[in-house]
Amino acid sequence: MQTKELERVARQIRRRDLQAVYDAGAGHIGGEMSAIDILAALYFRVLKVYPDEPRRADRDRFILSKGHTACALYITLAKRGFFPEEEISTFLQPHSRLNGHPNCNKVPGVETNTGPLGHGLPVAVGIATAGKLTCADYHTYVMTGDGEMQEGSNWEAIMAASQFGLGNLTLIIDHNRFQQGAALADTNDVAPLRPKLEAFGWDVTEINGNDMAEIVPALEHRGSRPHCIVAHTNKGHGISFMQDRVDWHHKVPNREQYEQAVAELSEAL
């Protein structure tokens, strides 16, 4: 897909995500809205995936380390054809496989279970290392939150990826500047991220993570070293009253807010 088509798909995912969170009465909508443009670019332009054969050996791998934003991943996977889009209506319902965090044993297209923060990148390093050792032709992507980069396990993985020369690994940091309960700057501020990653021997690209024209070339970057994309995004992107508000990390719109958000997202469709 080209840029305009990807933007249209991202808007459709946002609209469905809003409805799913509202209907379920729970979800992490702020961090989902910040990440959706990147998810759309990955699954509808960049990733080599096979919805009819989700475990095909030569597929690219994507790990959503910030697993609490699972709803956005589910909608993207369903829209890409991994399972019926109608199943999104079961999100967080009893006996649904679409839980609050992704489960690789239940949901086609999910590479590994995530939820406890700081786990996704170490797993991705292992997957990328296996690919390099076996001369496999797949690329591994992983998305973390910026608050998640406070976890020491991530920096151990960053050191290992550099040591092993994992040019088949891309880390995407959703740098929306907020985590649960506070701004990143008010907790354990890991910004600026670029010089830290570069000091560990990574290639680093900084982009506007809500601008498809910048997202696509960054995701398609290839080199001999592991690559980090510092994606500057907006919490709650696309919905005016949610944007850059820490309280929308884990909050559900009321009826009036839902209708306003629907109107704002529908204007862009």
Side-chain angles (χ1 to χ4, degrees), residues 29-258:
I29 194 168
E32 288 165 358
M33 293 294 160
S34 65
I36 282 172
D37 295 300
I38 294 168
L39 291 175
L42 280 166
Y43 280 92
F44 290 88
R45 166 69 182 249
V46 178
L47 290 178
K48 180 176 61 178
V49 290
Y50 309 93
D52 294 334
E53 300 177 76
R55 290 292 177 182
R56 186 163 148 173
D58 63 342
R59 73 191 183 281
D60 289 334
R61 275 73 166 169
F62 171 71
I63 294 173
L64 181 68
S65 189
K66 45 177 276 182
H68 52 282
T69 58
C71 187
L73 177 62
Y74 296 151
I75 294 166
T76 304
L77 289 172
K79 198 166 187 62
R80 186 66 175 80
F82 282 87
F83 58 88
E85 290 188 63
E86 293 76 17
E87 191 174 343
I88 298 299
S89 63
T90 72
F91 176 59
L92 297 183
Q93 298 303 308
H95 308 297
S96 173
R97 60 180 175 173
L98 304 184
N99 300 321
H101 296 87
N103 188 323
C104 66
N105 297 310
K106 295 181 178 180
V107 184
V110 173
E111 290 292 339
T112 190
N113 294 15
T114 55
L117 299 177
H119 289 195
L121 179 56
V123 171
V125 168
I127 292 171
T129 301
K132 183 174 182 179
L133 290 172
T134 59
C135 300
D137 189 31
Y138 64 77
H139 198 90
T140 301
Y141 294 85
V142 57
M143 178 188 285
T144 69
D146 51 2
E148 184 180 1
M149 294 306 295
Q150 297 164 350
E151 296 279 357
S153 53
N154 281 325
W155 297 97
E156 293 179 30
I158 285 165
M159 283 189 286
S162 179
Q163 175 69 26
F164 301 150
L166 299 182
N168 59 346
L169 174 67
T170 298
L171 163 64
I172 307 152
I173 302 175
D174 183 9
H175 194 9
N176 62 28
R177 307 178 307 287
F178 293 97
Q179 58 194 109
Q180 182 169 318
L184 186 72
D186 296 331
T187 54
N188 185 4
D189 195 359
V190 293
L193 288 157
R194 180 173 194 153
K196 295 176 177 65
L197 270 292
E198 289 178 334
F200 280 99
W202 283 54
D203 290 335
V204 182
T205 305
E206 290 196 75
I207 64 168
N208 177 343
N210 297 127
D211 184 341
M212 204 63 74
E214 295 188 28
I215 293 169
V216 170
L219 291 173
E220 293 180 338
H221 168 92
R222 295 292 181 272
S224 60
R225 304 196 297 177
H227 180 222
C228 176
I229 300 170
V230 179
H232 296 272
T233 62
N234 298 308
K235 197 99 168 181
H237 185 80
I239 302 173
S240 61
F241 60 86
M242 291 186 190
Q243 189 157 305
D244 294 332
R245 292 282 303 275
V246 67
D247 51 324
W248 285 101
H249 176 87
H250 187 238
K251 186 176 176 180
V252 179
N254 59 32
R255 181 69 185 181
E256 182 180 353
Q257 290 169 328
Y258 172 73

Side-chain angles (χ1 to χ4, degrees), residues 21-32:
V21 170
Y22 178 73
D23 289 345
H28 291 81
I29 194 168
E32 288 165 358

